[in-house]
Amino acid sequence: MNILAPLPARLVIEVVHDFVCPWCYLGVKRLSLLLARRRDLNVEMVWRPFLLNPDMPRSGMTRSDYMIRKFGAEERGRRLYHSITELGASEGIEFNFAAIRRTPSSVDAHRLIRYAQAFGAADVLVDEIFRAHFVEGLDIGVPATLVRLAALQGMDARATALFLASSEGAEFVHAENLHAHRLGINGVPCFLIDGEHAIAGAQEVEVLERLIDLAACTMRER
């Protein structure tokens, strides 16, 4: 090892996302694929909550009711999801929209990610929650589902259940959502890199890589 070599760039990547957004899953997956092959980068991930459905009942709603409310008709939604499914397949995501029976409130999932940061499990849990919802069709608005996912990452199931049964962190989630809108973020995913560079949408890996390299170069010049 060359002790005179420069240290890997230390970058903070903030991801504004919602767990019920398939584009967020796709964007996060692409970012993960990029970081997996760019070992020269030292990245800290920060997960910022966004609520696409801030008025969603805590119990969620049936998938058919949600699609009618969002798209006007279920068939219109299915056409859109078909194109997303094809894009996901190219990145290793097996979207299974047909398995989703209820569209959940994502507030508790966001709360769990903040709670999991203290245990070093947040990054992995983000992917697992996305997968549970979009691939397995599980209801991520149900605390038991979230507790099981957390336990699989080594978190204490009882403590996690007690946390989710409380209201701790809910105010934070809503405040973060409001803050994102005040920053002009009206759609997700949105990637904020090193506090100075931002890009929205499920960008291609090459686009994300160029922006991250720009941020790294800017950091070294400071």
Side-chain angles (χ1 to χ4, degrees):
M1 178 178 179
N2 183 1
I3 62 173
L4 299 179
L7 293 173
R10 175 71 172 181
L11 291 173
V12 175
I13 300 181
E14 302 171 67
V15 183
V16 186
H17 69 293
D18 196 358
F19 286 109
V20 297
C21 169
W23 296 108
C24 290
Y25 189 13
L26 181 61
V28 168
K29 181 69 171 182
R30 287 172 170 171
L31 176 62
S32 298
L33 292 172
L34 168 60
L35 296 179
R37 66 175 174 80
R38 286 295 303 270
R39 299 298 184 180
D40 57 309
L41 296 171
N42 185 8
V43 171
E44 176 186 349
M45 300 297 301
V46 177
W47 304 101
R48 299 290 188 191
F50 190 90
L51 299 175
L52 287 173
N53 308 303
D55 299 323
M56 177 67 70
R58 182 151 187 172
S59 60
M61 64 173 58
T62 65
R63 190 65 173 174
S64 59
D65 286 346
Y66 174 74
M67 290 176 67
I68 291 171
R69 189 175 80 166
K70 186 174 181 65
F71 301 111
E74 288 188 64
E75 185 56 36
R76 184 180 176 189
R78 290 193 185 96
R79 288 196 298 270
L80 173 63
Y81 290 146
H82 177 72
S83 63
I84 298 175
T85 299
E86 292 182 339
L87 288 171
S90 66
E91 307 293 358
I93 300 174
E94 299 177 356
F95 280 112
N96 185 9
F97 292 102
I100 301 173
R101 300 304 178 190
R102 295 188 67 80
T103 295
S105 164
S106 57
V107 172
D108 283 345
H110 286 303
R111 290 174 58 222
L112 177 61
I113 293 305
R114 187 170 187 240
Y115 177 70
Q117 288 174 351
F119 306 97
D123 294 356
V124 176
L125 259 181
V126 165
D127 184 70
E128 291 302 311
I129 293 173
F130 272 127
R131 176 177 174 78
H133 180 55
F134 285 113
V135 178
E136 299 178 39
L138 300 178
D139 189 342
I140 59 170
V142 174
T145 300
L146 297 175
V147 169
R148 182 178 66 81
L149 294 175
L152 288 174
Q153 303 310 317
M155 293 173 60
D156 183 84
R158 183 174 182 274
T160 302
L162 288 173
F163 168 77
L164 291 173
S166 74
S167 60
E168 183 181 345
E171 185 176 342
F172 167 81
V173 172
H174 289 286
E176 283 283 291
N177 179 61
L178 181 60
H179 180 64
H181 282 285
R182 286 176 174 170
L183 289 177
I185 300 173
N186 296 309
V188 284
C190 183
F191 303 93
L192 308 174
I193 303 171
D194 196 30
E196 294 192 358
H197 308 271
I199 192 167
Q203 299 293 333
E204 297 287 346
V205 170
E206 294 76 17
V207 175
L208 288 171
E209 186 167 30
R210 285 197 295 270
L211 188 62
I212 289 173
D213 283 337
L214 174 62
C217 288
T218 303
M219 174 184 288
R220 294 188 185 101
E221 292 170 358
R222 290 204 293 265

